[in-house]
Amino acid sequence: MDKISLPKASTLTSPNPVALVCTTKKDNHTNLATVSWWTYLSFNPEMIAFAMMKSSYSGEMVREHRKVILSIPGTDLSQTVIKCGSHSGRNIDKVKEFNIQMQSIPNADIQIPLHSKLAICCSLKDYVEVGDHYLYICNVESVYANDTETAVYAWNGYAEIRPANKG
Ligand SMILES: Cc1cc2nc3c(=O)[nH]c(=O)nc-3n(C[C@H](O)[C@H](O)[C@H](O)COP(=O)(O)O)c2cc1C
């Protein structure tokens, strides 16, 4: 085997999962940011976690409001995933700027994009410093699904967003 770096390893695990972190901004609008580094943690109680760069505006909003929805994007959101993963909500309103159609989820102030396959509604339990990221550990409050959507993944590292091929 060849000795490689961890960033290189992350390209070799393609396709990697993709989610949109949906949070409330200071102006009460919704911010969307792409994360690949999310995982299920526990089924009883139901918990998930995701890691975001310390400088991320989404992370700041999660720490402030302690509420977050992870949405799993369907194929119609492939471009949205790229755009929301390359601009910070600190400077722009991504929903408005990128003309993203949104939908409401029962009992949640935070909206999620249309064409989401899953919405995992969470409250922040804790966050931990992990190198250049914070790991956000969340209690899952409810999950909604739209089974007609096909989930997308990040290929070639994080460059290409498309479904996983079966078989
Ligand atoms: C496919 C893809 C996956 C990404 N995964 C992560 C991730 O897991 N963690 C992270 O901190 N940033 C990730 N990013 C980058 C953030 O989405 C990006 O820094 C974004 O601008 C943060 O927005 P915000 O400042 O509004 O939170 C990813 C970007 C792309 C395109």
Side-chain angles (χ1 to χ4, degrees), residues 31 33-37 51-53 56-58 85 87-89 94:
N31 188 46
T34 307
V35 289
S36 191
W37 296 2
M52 290 208 87
M53 290 284 290
S56 136
Y57 186 63
S58 304
H87 295 81
S88 178
K94 298 188 213 184

Side-chain angles (χ1 to χ4, degrees), residues 9 13 31 52 55 76 88 97 100 108 113 115 149 159:
T13 53
N31 188 46
M52 290 208 87
S55 59
D76 283 10
S88 178
E97 201 80 17
I100 303 167
H115 303 297
E149 299 287 349

Side-chain angles (χ1 to χ4, degrees), residues 6-124:
L6 193 59
K8 174 68 178 168
S10 75
T11 69
L12 299 182
T13 53
S14 281
N16 291 318
V18 155
L20 288 167
V21 169
C22 312
T23 52
T24 304
K25 287 163 64 107
K26 285 189 193 299
D27 62 7
N28 281 332
H29 292 174
T30 296
N31 188 46
L32 305 172
T34 307
V35 289
S36 191
W37 296 2
W38 84 273
T39 183
Y40 299 101
L41 283 184
S42 164
F43 283 161
N44 184 21
E46 296 185 350
M47 296 177 74
I48 58 121
F50 58 94
M52 290 208 87
M53 290 284 290
K54 286 178 175 170
S55 59
S56 136
Y57 186 63
S58 304
E60 196 179 315
M61 294 302 99
V62 175
R63 296 195 300 277
E64 189 169 320
H65 300 298
R66 303 190 77 85
K67 291 280 181 192
V68 58
I69 301 179
L70 254 65
S71 92
I72 304 301
T75 46
D76 283 10
L77 292 169
S78 300
Q79 282 309 307
T80 298
V81 166
I82 299 281
K83 289 177 189 164
C84 290
S86 44
H87 295 81
S88 178
R90 199 182 297 281
N91 312 314
I92 58 164
D93 185 332
K94 298 188 213 184
V95 171
K96 197 171 154 200
E97 201 80 17
F98 305 140
N99 205 14
I100 303 167
Q101 288 181 284
M102 303 292 283
Q103 62 182 321
S104 295
I105 292 294
N107 305 316
D109 295 333
I110 304 169
Q111 293 197 312
I112 67 161
L114 266 185
H115 303 297
S116 297
K117 185 178 177 78
L118 280 187
I120 307 173
C121 307
C122 303
S123 59
L124 179 65

Side-chain angles (χ1 to χ4, degrees), residues 137-152:
I137 300 166
C138 299
N139 291 315
V140 174
E141 294 181 339
S142 53
V143 184
Y144 296 90
N146 179 351
D147 225 1
T148 64
E149 299 287 349
T150 301
V152 289

